[in-house]
Amino acid sequence: MHDRPGRTRASAGDTVLTFLRRRAVSAAIPLLVVLLGVFLLARLTGDPTALYLPESASPADRAEFAAANGLDLPVWQQLLDYLAGIVQLDLGTSLRTEEPAAEMVLRAFPVTLSLAAVTMLLAVAGALLIGSWAAYRPNSPADRTSSFLTMTAASVPDFWLAVTGVWLLAVVLGVLPTSGMDNGVLSWVLPVAVLMVRPLGVLTQVVRGAMVSALSAPYVRLARSKGADGRRVVTHHALRNAAAPALTVAGDLAVGLVNGAVIVETIFGWPGIGKLMIDAILQRDFAVLQAAVLLTAVAIFVLNIAIDIGYALLDARVRDVATV
Amino acid sequence: MTSAQRRAAFVRARAVLVAAVLGLTVAACGGQATAPADTIRIVLPEEPPTLEACDASLTGTGVVVRSNITEPLAERNPTTGALEPLLATSWTQTTPTSWTFTLREGVLFSDGTPFDAAAAAHSIDRAVNADIDCHIQGYVFNDSLETAAPDPTTLVVTSDTPDPILPLRLSFVEMVHPSTDADGKVREPVGTGPFRIAGWEPGTRLTLERNPGYWGTPPAFARAEYQWRSDSSVRAAMVVNGEADIATGIGPEDGAEELGVSFPNNETTALRLQATEPPLDDIRVRRAIGMVIDRDGIISALFEGAGTPAAQLIPDGVIGYNPDLRPEPFDTARAQALMDEVRADGVDLSAPIRFIVRSGLFPRVSEVTQAIQYQLSQLGLNVQIQMMDSAEGLEYQQRPFPEGTGAYILMIQHGNQAGDAAFTLDQYMLSDGYQSSYGIPDFDAAIAAAEALSGPERHAALAALFAREPEEIDQYAYIAHMRGMLARSPRVHYEPDAATGDEMRLAAMTPA
């Protein structure tokens, strides 16, 4: 690509800053839509008063509760107060526990983040290994077996897998704890395995497809014809080209892990953001629900930027497009 | 890298992999946490939202707090039904509206502060008279109380109107430290119970430890550790796997096998028929509904025999239970004939009737709901199931009910923890009861008259009301007196009783 007349190529630092600025602007609108959506939908689910007040609560008690928690204001006023609170980093107080919602969310978030990070790391590594191996000998029995297994893995419900895993590995074989976080690395095995199954299945298929294309590309055939070692062709030539589509899919899957975390954290008793969200929905704990969604949305935004940066590092065309 | 170097690197990588797998296996075989011998481990369906003692009538809170961290003046024996002394050694009715309690001497709060009449008065005022919206208001107390502490061991409690069961009502008030905020709730109370709070890691675990200054017999276990898992099969698996000693709220299908212990849990399941809405406003329709519920079939097929067919809203053992009442026989032909009569009178039966059920109300609630929907459809009623979560369901369960909703049937489950039918009648059968949809003035007056009585007369009058209600009002189609189930580890002795669902006394648990 040539420079335009009168313009000089931006420095690497400027490029990244421009890229981040554009991504921030383009992410702000969906972020706002999500916040508004959750705020309004939460209020459509009903009044939390009945849950938090005794049966005998008089209309005056109910009015007092509503006033104390800002529920008596028009919805637009509640929304403005909420947005003003965000600006001041005040995300409200939990109706259920009377703790600051921000504290609850910040306590839960690292649990989910670490679970998701370990899951994605293992899923990506596993997918690269299995996908490359399957693509190296396409249509061999090993390839067909791995395709069948990964397609199955991508479609098994998390809930079924979790309960079956507990029954088989904890109760029948007794090699893993059923749940909780008390048993060190063993506590991680079942939750990570359950969360990993779908990303591993999907990613393996993506990597395999990309690798099959890459391995049949002219430059790989050329490298092979020059006598390059098979393993080196895969790791140094084909894999680099197959990594970009895998990274994109991995990003989407990482975002989807928040949904998976709801089931896995609930079943395995991990006090993460997914469990917190479910509890907040069931208890009509608006402040906690909003805080959890806000933090998750911001995390997804950051994750998407990280993916874009990774993608740009792998593919020069993306870098250039980002700054034009 | 030469091929020899590559081979060496590959061999090293393989060795690392094998070592890692072996390490994991060894850890797996011996790495699980073992229980300290002096700790009892309990797994609950949910984390207590708070340990505020005045909210101990909430199941999630009460099961941890009541008679473990805090204690009341007197407590009801769940087996005999008798009210037994606890922090009060005796009580007597001194005037029609006043009761005088003599308090136990030498009782200390877990921080060493003495328990006395002033502390008891503070606890009652806080729970009954204050504006902090304790959950026993409405359920236990509708009026305010006056308290006086003429000396450290004498407490006088006066009600607005004569109350023959005031000591029983006061057994719902847990005694809290005199410094406890009177104008706001606290998450962690200080009480006189055999245990005190040792630590609460939100979201993860709650630990209690023996109260060293406890006035009674020290409990066998020095510590209690509560965790929570929302999936019942995981709770059962934790006991089977040796990770917990007691798991509550499990069903017959959860895999506890021989570790599962069934017990009467005081709960009765019924359908509340919104009798103000057509076609449920016709008593013949309500009667026909009662006739087509196959109680025996539901109990044997879906509860696996854990329950008995119900003919009233309270189980045996509660004052006012009527042993002569028999469940409506399952009789589709009679019900059809009744419906034909209704149709012949020109009543429109085509309107949709919502069947509102709280998901998770009891194990296999979905299957029971579907079975009942099918049975009601046999009558030609247009019944549509609507599963709701607790918060949504509460809107239909408690007054003020939503308006303009059309006809609906609500699945309810009522547990009378207090052991007296007054607590049931006031809520579920008065015209304006918090959970009652319908009533008549005559019956309201009869309830008030019966509740003013005491002794055997009271029991007989209350029992007569349960026989009369289906004749004149018929607001409920009863299903079953339920049984609960918990999983119990072989390392623990504990016999659950009718109060276990609301109050699980750690002092009753001993090592096997």
Side-chain angles (χ1 to χ4, degrees), chain B residues 202-456:
Chain B
T204 307
R205 85 188 69 241
L206 169 66
T207 310
L208 307 187
E209 64 186 5
R210 213 185 260 151
N211 171 7
Y214 184 54
W215 60 271
T217 310
F221 286 103
R223 292 172 73 83
E225 190 180 285
Y226 294 91
Q227 292 193 56
W228 32 88
R229 301 284 183 271
S230 44
D231 190 85
S232 56
S233 62
V234 171
R235 289 198 295 279
M238 286 178 75
V239 175
V240 174
N241 214 32
E243 295 169 32
D245 301 309
I246 304 276
T248 62
I250 64 167
E253 72 281 11
D254 285 324
E257 307 300 338
E258 71 278 6
L259 300 183
V261 182
S262 162
F263 59 96
N265 68 355
N266 244 341
E267 300 282 354
T268 301
T269 304
L271 305 182
R272 192 187 77 196
L273 310 171
Q274 200 70 11
T276 51
E277 301 283 344
L280 299 175
D281 57 352
D282 190 314
I283 195 168
R284 294 170 296 178
V285 175
R286 304 202 290 276
R287 283 207 177 116
I289 288 173
M291 289 173 193
V292 289
I293 295 175
D294 182 4
R295 297 169 182 79
D296 291 313
I298 288 170
I299 291 166
S300 66
L302 297 174
F303 297 161
E304 298 186 19
T308 50
Q312 55 200 305
L313 209 43
I314 52 172
D316 195 1
V318 175
I319 292 171
Y321 173 77
N322 189 331
D324 300 329
L325 294 179
R326 294 283 171 268
E328 191 75 52
F330 174 52
D331 191 338
T332 311
R334 261 180 69 218
Q336 292 282 13
L338 207 49
M339 293 298 277
D340 289 343
E341 193 183 300
V342 174
R343 274 191 205 91
D345 287 349
V347 176
D348 180 13
L349 296 172
S350 62
I353 299 174
R354 290 190 296 158
F355 184 10
I356 296 173
V357 181
R358 238 170 68 195
S359 49
L361 191 63
F362 51 80
R364 293 192 175 155
V365 65
S366 305
E367 289 86 342
V368 172
T369 302
Q370 287 161 28
I372 291 174
Q373 183 203 31
Y374 171 76
Q375 286 155 8
L376 297 185
S377 72
Q378 301 297 298
L379 293 178
L381 295 172
N382 177 12
V383 177
Q384 296 159 2
I385 294 173
Q386 208 171 345
M387 301 298 288
M388 292 185 177
D389 67 17
S390 297
E392 207 180 351
L394 268 178
E395 289 192 34
Y396 293 87
Q397 192 175 330
Q398 291 180 10
R399 284 180 186 276
F401 303 126
E403 289 176 11
T405 56
Y408 62 90
I409 296 171
L410 184 76
M411 174 100 77
I412 62 157
Q413 186 169 256
H414 169 54
N416 186 317
Q417 304 169 36
D420 188 287
F423 297 93
T424 300
L425 293 164
D426 287 355
Q427 278 191 85
Y428 287 87
M429 295 196 180
L430 281 175
S431 302
D432 59 353
Y434 296 121
Q435 303 200 42
S436 168
S437 73
Y438 181 64
I440 53 176
D442 274 1
F443 198 74
D444 292 349
I447 291 175
E451 290 181 357
L453 302 171
S454 55

Side-chain angles (χ1 to χ4, degrees), chain A residues 50-51 53-56 62 96-97 107 159 170-171 174-180 182-183 186 266-267 271 282 284, chain B residues 27-28 32-33 47 133-134 137-138 187 202-205 229-230 237-238 241 243 389 391 394 398-399 427 434-435:
Chain A
L51 271 178
L53 291 185
E55 293 160 2
S56 64
R62 288 167 198 269
R96 179 175 152 88
T97 66
R107 192 166 59 224
F159 175 80
V171 177
V175 294
L176 291 175
T178 60
S179 55
D182 294 340
N183 292 280
L186 292 181
T266 300
I267 290 181
L282 292 177
R284 305 295 189 268
Chain B
Q32 284 177 41
E47 180 173 10
D133 293 323
C134 295
Q137 286 178 266
R187 276 176 63 72
T204 307
R205 85 188 69 241
R229 301 284 183 271
S230 44
M238 286 178 75
N241 214 32
E243 295 169 32
D389 67 17
L394 268 178
Q398 291 180 10
R399 284 180 186 276
Q427 278 191 85
Y434 296 121
Q435 303 200 42

Side-chain angles (χ1 to χ4, degrees), chain B residues 160-236:
Chain B
D160 295 346
T161 54
D163 188 347
I165 59 166
L166 186 67
L168 183 62
R169 290 187 204 276
L170 283 174
S171 71
F172 279 83
V173 179
E174 302 289 306
M175 298 294 119
V176 291
H177 195 278
S179 70
T180 310
D181 188 357
D183 302 317
K185 291 187 178 176
V186 294
R187 276 176 63 72
E188 300 188 16
V190 174
T192 61
F195 287 88
R196 62 184 180 187
I197 299 166
W200 190 354
E201 299 168 49
T204 307
R205 85 188 69 241
L206 169 66
T207 310
L208 307 187
E209 64 186 5
R210 213 185 260 151
N211 171 7
Y214 184 54
W215 60 271
T217 310
F221 286 103
R223 292 172 73 83
E225 190 180 285
Y226 294 91
Q227 292 193 56
W228 32 88
R229 301 284 183 271
S230 44
D231 190 85
S232 56
S233 62
V234 171
R235 289 198 295 279

